[in-house]
Structure formats: C-alpha cells, structure tokens
C-alpha cells in the first residue's frame, strides 16, 4: 500500500495509472476509520481498478475550534486497517498546507438552498468547507467514481449538487448507513463517547424507528412533537433538531404527499459529542 502526503506526488502517480486506462474509485474520509468507511472502500475496490482513500481532517468545515482539536486522528491505525483490506489501496494523507496553499479558507458556494437546511442552519459555513475540500480532492484525484455514506445524507445531496453545478466528471455513489448491533450509526465521533453516553446513544436510532412507524398514520407535526418530548425527558441526550424533510429538496414537510419521499433527520448532543443520524420514512 502506498501512502502519499504530497499532492504533486499522488497526482503524478495517478496520472501514470490513468494513462493505462485504469478506473479510479475514491473514498474521501477524515480518518478514524470504522466499518462504515471500510464498506465504502469495498465498493470502490469492487467497481474500479484502483481505490484511493484520502485521510484529512478538513479545518474549514468545522464551526467549532474545540471540535476540530478533539477530532480523532489515528493515521497509523487507519493505514494498518486499510492495508488489512487490500494492499493495493492508495492513501492520500496530506498536511493542511498541501491542500490550502495560501490561506486555510473555504470558498463560497451556492447549493440551490440545500445548504440552508438542518446542518447548514446549525453549523455555519460547514458546507462551504465541505464543498471546498471535496472539489479540491476531486481536482487532485480525478476519480471516475466517489463513495459517500448516507449517514451524512445532506452532505451527499450537496456533493451531488456540487458535481452537477461545477460539471465535475465523477459519478457519486451514496452507500447505506452502517450501524452497531444496538442500532447506533457508526461514526468516528463514537470513539470519544464516555461509557454512560455510549450506552445511552442507541436511543437515537430507536426513536427514529418509532418515528418512522408513527409517520405511517400521523402528521409530521405530531411525530416531531413526540420526538421532542421523548428527548426532553432524557437525562443524558440533548436534542438539537429533529426534522422530517422532503428527500429531494431537504425542506421540512408541512403536508404529506403520496408522490414524494421523506426522511427524518436528527442531531443530538451526547455530552459534548454531536451525533447525527437519519432514516428513510417511505
Ligand atoms: O464525511 C466526511 O468525512 C467529510 O465531510 C469529507 C467528505 C471527507 C470531507 O472532509
């Protein structure tokens, strides 16, 4: 397995492979890899001649300096894990200066309103940061296919929009959420949960499952109030938002329509760790 830290080096290496008509599958990550990431890597390996994984904690997508500082950085373990999957994987693990040459600053994007909902409302500038790094990584890796998890469903929608608006020649694949046996969506942040909070966190998915059942017969308003109430009685978990939205526009649903598909989105604080999850409702 080769680990590149320099943009120019990986560009040169990949160009050589592309000249031989090899297809490239790309999995961008911020490291602290778990089974969810590995499932994306497995897809990339299966559908392409070469799989590239980037490991880079992108400063411009964090709206909170403490969160950025505390984000787990486990490069050695990550590369060992990837090598155990396949030693043909190419890793790009740059320093900040290799990506942001002059200034560590996000570009401004319009994602046709997708950026103002949910995560965009609670994490200012987050999607400008995500757009900046993903566009930059696509310019460097020039993948044929790129793989993202549906846990960050809004991010996935925004990346599809980025590719469409900037006419980037890559196919985006959204892959299913991986969960622990207790239902907790896998996330790099789970590593930082203290034992009591780890025990409590599966309540998030249990609530989503109940919300889904209720949405069959009840209104979005009813279900939202029920979820808010369930969390208001919880000792350890603090609800930031629960929103039932149209899957395409990500706008909160007011009245249900049979022709649309809906998804429930949730963000919860477990102590100082922010967890997000979502569930398809129909
Ligand atoms: O989902 C993530 O891990 C990050 O937001 C991404 C897409 C790697 C960009 O930094």
């Amino acid at each position: 397995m080769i680990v590149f830290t320099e943009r120019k080096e990986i560009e040169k290496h990949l160009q050589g492979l592309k000249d031989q008509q090899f297809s490239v599958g790309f999995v961008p990550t911020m490291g602290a890899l778990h089974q969810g990431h590995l499932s994306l890597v497995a897809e990339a390996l299966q559908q392409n001649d070469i799989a590239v994984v980037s490991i880079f904690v992108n400063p411009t997508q964090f709206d909170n300096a403490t969160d950025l500082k505390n984000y787990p950085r486990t490069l050695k373990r990550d590369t060992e894990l990837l090598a155990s999957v396949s030693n043909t994987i190419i890793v790009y693990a740059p320093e900040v200066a290799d990506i942001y040459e002059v200034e560590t600053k996000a570009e401004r994007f319009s994602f046709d309103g997708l950026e103002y909902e949910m995560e965009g409302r609670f994490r200012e500038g987050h999607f400008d940061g995500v757009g900046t790094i993903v566009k930059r990584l696509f310019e460097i890796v020039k993948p044929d296919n790129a793989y993202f998890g549906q846990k960050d469903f809004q991010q996935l929608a925004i990346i599809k929009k980025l590719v469409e608006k900037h006419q980037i020649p890559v196919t985006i694949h959204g892959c299913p959420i991986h969960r622990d046996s207790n239902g907790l969506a896998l996330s790099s942040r789970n590593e930082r949960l203290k034992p009591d909070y780890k025990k409590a966190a599966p309540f998030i998915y249990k609530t989503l499952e109940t919300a889904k059942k209720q949405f069959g017969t009840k209104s979005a308003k009813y279900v939202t109030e029920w979820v808010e109430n369930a969390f208001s009685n919880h000792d350890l978990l603090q609800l930031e938002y629960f929103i039932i939205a149209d899957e395409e526009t990500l706008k909160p649903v007011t009245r249900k329509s049979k022709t649309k598909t809906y998804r429930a989105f949730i963000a919860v604080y477990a102590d100082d760790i922010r967890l997000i999850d979502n569930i398809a409702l129909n």
Side-chain angles (χ1 to χ4, degrees):
M1 197 176 74
I2 321 178
V3 181
F4 290 95
T5 55
E6 305 279 324
R7 172 173 47 90
K8 291 214 166 73
E9 294 298 314
I10 188 168
E11 280 176 341
K12 201 165 108 199
H13 184 78
L14 290 176
Q15 192 53 55
L17 294 170
K18 276 179 204 143
D19 290 345
Q20 298 172 63
Q21 312 300 323
F22 287 136
S23 60
V24 175
F26 180 39
V27 182
T29 81
M30 297 207 298
L33 301 182
H34 50 67
Q35 216 44 50
H37 293 115
L38 295 190
S39 70
L40 304 181
V41 175
E43 288 278 298
L45 281 165
Q46 205 178 21
Q47 297 174 8
N48 303 275
D49 299 316
I50 293 150
V52 178
V53 177
S54 64
I55 298 177
F56 178 65
V57 181
N58 172 39
T60 65
Q61 72 187 75
F62 285 80
D63 62 332
N64 176 321
T66 315
D67 192 22
L68 171 62
K69 184 169 153 272
N70 291 338
Y71 200 86
R73 289 161 173 87
T74 56
L75 184 59
K76 187 167 177 292
R77 198 184 75 192
D78 291 344
T79 49
E80 283 166 5
L81 200 57
L82 289 171
S84 74
V85 173
S86 162
N87 58 15
T88 65
I89 295 168
I90 295 170
V91 175
Y92 177 43
E95 292 294 332
V96 172
D98 198 54
I99 294 281
Y100 295 97
E101 282 172 318
V102 186
E103 209 181 351
T104 310
K105 200 172 162 212
E107 257 179 73
R108 293 298 300 272
F109 291 93
S110 160
F111 298 114
D112 295 348
L114 293 175
E115 70 275 33
Y116 300 129
E117 307 299 333
M118 299 174 295
E119 292 299 285
R121 247 192 308 134
F122 288 90
R123 301 182 68 189
E124 219 196 313
H126 172 65
F127 288 120
D128 282 334
V130 170
T132 302
I133 185 60
V134 171
K135 186 162 162 274
R136 187 87 188 101
L137 290 169
F138 283 169
E139 283 161 4
I140 295 168
V141 177
K142 298 187 185 66
D144 300 284
N145 296 290
Y147 301 82
F148 295 86
Q150 287 185 341
K151 185 174 78 64
D152 298 291
F153 191 88
Q154 187 176 11
Q155 168 175 279
L156 175 62
I158 278 182
I159 289 166
K160 285 182 181 161
K161 185 63 80 178
L162 172 87
V163 162
E164 178 197 313
K165 290 189 95 168
H166 292 262
Q167 298 181 5
I168 305 172
V170 55
T171 304
I172 303 299
H173 301 260
C175 304
I177 302 175
H178 270 252
R179 300 184 180 281
D180 251 334
S181 55
N182 59 21
L184 179 64
L186 296 190
S187 162
S188 305
R189 292 172 199 272
N190 294 356
E191 286 195 12
R192 293 189 48 236
L193 288 170
K194 293 186 195 126
D196 280 0
Y197 291 91
K198 197 164 208 156
K199 238 194 216 158
F203 182 74
I204 300 169
Y205 185 57
K206 283 203 182 74
T207 308
L208 285 181
E209 284 187 307
T210 310
K212 178 177 176 144
K213 270 192 210 124
Q214 288 185 346
F215 191 67
T217 55
K218 304 272 199 257
S219 69
K221 184 168 179 284
Y222 176 95
V223 180
T224 306
E225 282 171 6
W226 180 83
V227 171
E228 285 170 355
N229 191 44
F231 276 92
S232 71
N233 295 325
H234 202 288
D235 290 343
L236 295 176
L237 303 176
Q238 200 191 331
L239 182 67
E240 183 170 58
Y241 66 74
F242 172 84
I243 290 168
I244 296 179
D246 179 322
E247 261 194 0
E248 213 174 288
T249 62
L250 302 184
K251 296 232 177 299
V253 50
T254 42
R255 194 182 303 162
K256 284 195 239 178
S257 152
K258 285 209 171 79
T259 59
K260 294 198 162 151
T261 52
Y262 299 108
R263 198 170 271 262
F265 297 85
I266 196 164
V268 170
Y269 274 97
D271 200 10
D272 61 337
I273 319 279
R274 189 170 181 277
L275 301 172
I276 60 169
D277 201 351
N278 66 78
I279 192 168
L281 296 177
N282 57 342

